[in-house]
Amino acid sequence: MSTFQHIKPAGKAQFKDRYTTKAAELLTPYKEGKKGEAAILGAPLSKPSISHSGASFAPDAIRRCLNSFTTYNIEEETDISSQKIIDFGDIAMHPTSIEECHQRIYQATKEITEAQAAPFTIILGGDHSITTSTVKAIKETRGTVGIIQLDAHHDLRNTEDGGPTNGTPFRRLIEGGHLKGEHLIQIGIRNYSNAKAYHDYAIENGVTVYTMKDVRQRGITELIQSALTHLEDKVDTIYLSVDMDVLDQAYAPGCPAIGPGGMDPDTLTQAVKQTIQHPKVQTMDIVEIDPTLDIRDMTSRIASLLVLNSLIN
Ligand code: CA
């Protein structure tokens, strides 16, 4: 207790409304045996990014933006103030070895999955290179993995030109034998954002590709339903990978690879909500936010809202 009447610890001197719970209050540090409705783990790695990226700052920014939201959902008339998000903290990265960073992400994901602290886990990137490591770990703990990838890009680049960058995660999974091409569904792929060789690679390997034109013409609900129906009998677990650059640049200024012609946040939210209602969907990642490029945390706020939506089932 402070001996001064109006002085609080640094950073804690905020207004507190007695009837309002901030979403950030749901964050509960992990302790052995503690259970929650969801769990988060930060994977603050952006050194393997092809372009300059401060995505390593995103786990902090997404947690901080939970302070921008309350726990009351007026549309559903639900209040999630009694739920817990178990926070495993962040993975300490090696300062120079990308390979060692990826190994640590693999090891950490395996350990937190085995800890079974929550039925649903969200890994906060980081850039998209983390997904090879997290999916490898999920495969070892939960069995055959199917992936629904929301992204402007295929992320199937060759590794000869740049090694394990954020443009290669799904190719590395396929070529490493961790993922069958037919178990990968890509949604939101955009015009003039990929090379033809990588679309060809996707089709040759049995990957399902839905472009933004498919999203506009068929609607996200139909595409997600089709993806879940395609995967549910073939795999043991479904992993949702959300690259925030699937959003249009108008909504996601914090992504290193912004561009026009992308999704709006309501469509992304609908996609995530619908996907995670499926009982086989147990893990999600949110990647490619660089808070140093963001404007008023616009992109991180959307990510925080996706975290909150994972609690309403
Ligand atoms: Ca990507």
Side-chain angles (χ1 to χ4, degrees):
M1 282 294 286
S2 168
T3 50
F4 307 111
Q5 195 179 350
H6 294 298
I7 300 178
K8 300 255 173 82
K12 302 286 180 197
Q14 300 124 339
F15 172 68
K16 173 68 183 158
D17 176 316
R18 72 185 68 186
Y19 297 115
T20 303
T21 307
K22 292 286 184 72
E25 295 174 47
L26 306 183
L27 292 173
T28 308
Y30 173 72
K31 271 193 201 143
E32 208 175 332
K34 198 158 231 172
K35 305 276 182 196
E37 282 71 23
I40 60 170
L41 171 69
L45 178 68
S46 47
K47 287 177 181 172
S49 289
I50 291 171
S51 56
H52 171 82
S53 175
S56 55
F57 299 115
D60 266 356
I62 297 167
R63 287 187 185 93
R64 190 179 68 246
C65 286
L66 287 169
N67 272 312
S68 307
F69 297 101
T70 72
T71 54
Y72 180 56
N73 180 328
I74 192 167
E75 293 179 5
E76 311 284 343
E77 289 192 50
T78 51
D79 196 314
I80 53 171
S81 59
S82 64
Q83 300 199 20
K84 285 190 188 70
I85 304 172
I86 301 294
D87 190 347
F88 282 101
D90 294 332
I91 305 164
M93 297 297 171
H94 189 279
T96 55
S97 168
I98 302 293
E99 198 179 318
E100 171 63 19
C101 292
H102 285 153
Q103 173 61 25
R104 290 182 188 187
I105 295 168
Y106 161 79
Q107 185 67 34
T109 306
K110 205 164 163 224
E111 286 169 358
I112 66 145
T113 308
E114 284 165 355
Q116 296 187 325
F120 190 70
T121 302
I122 305 166
I123 295 143
L124 306 174
D127 68 28
H128 223 155
S129 78
I130 69 162
T131 304
T132 311
S133 308
T134 56
V135 170
K136 273 163 70 177
I138 298 298
K139 180 177 178 254
E140 279 193 25
T141 44
R142 298 196 189 276
T144 317
V145 183
I147 301 178
I148 298 177
Q149 174 196 354
L150 303 173
D151 203 328
H153 311 98
H154 291 296
D155 289 359
L156 294 169
R157 286 181 194 260
N158 79 81
T159 52
E160 289 80 9
D161 288 340
T165 67
N166 61 339
T168 64
F170 301 98
R171 184 156 181 154
R172 285 188 287 129
L173 283 169
I174 290 171
E175 294 190 350
H178 309 292
L179 173 73
K180 283 187 178 173
E182 66 195 77
H183 295 164
L184 174 61
I185 319 275
Q186 305 189 314
I187 302 177
I189 306 296
R190 284 219 282 277
N191 277 347
Y192 302 114
S193 303
N194 299 274
K196 180 178 183 298
Y198 299 127
H199 185 221
D200 292 346
Y201 180 91
I203 301 306
E204 281 160 19
N205 283 275
V207 176
T208 302
V209 178
Y210 294 125
T211 64
M212 274 311 297
K213 185 180 181 184
D214 295 315
V215 175
R216 286 191 303 273
Q217 291 188 340
R218 295 174 59 184
I220 197 68
T221 308
E222 187 190 317
L223 298 187
I224 295 290
Q225 188 52 55
S226 161
L228 291 169
T229 306
H230 175 86
L231 291 174
E232 63 187 356
D233 295 330
K234 297 187 181 73
V235 299
D236 297 314
T237 188
I238 298 173
Y239 184 102
L240 175 62
S241 188
V242 180
D243 185 326
M244 294 297 281
D245 72 24
V246 76
L247 290 170
D248 191 276
Q249 62 184 5
Y251 306 105
C255 291
I258 58 168
M263 272 185 204
D264 65 73
D266 286 345
T267 303
L268 176 59
T269 303
Q270 166 60 28
V272 171
K273 282 171 83 168
Q274 188 184 345
T275 303
I276 66 183
Q277 273 167 19
H278 194 286
K280 281 200 172 173
V281 180
Q282 294 157 300
T283 325
M284 165 169 126
D285 65 35
I286 302 175
V287 296
E288 296 290 340
I289 298 172
D290 176 351
T292 69
L293 297 172
D294 212 359
I295 299 170
R296 298 197 65 200
D297 291 324
M298 284 169 65
T299 319
S300 295
R301 278 173 206 243
I302 298 172
S304 297
L305 198 56
L306 296 180
V307 171
L308 282 188
N309 276 309
S310 76
L311 291 166
I312 302 164
N313 275 308

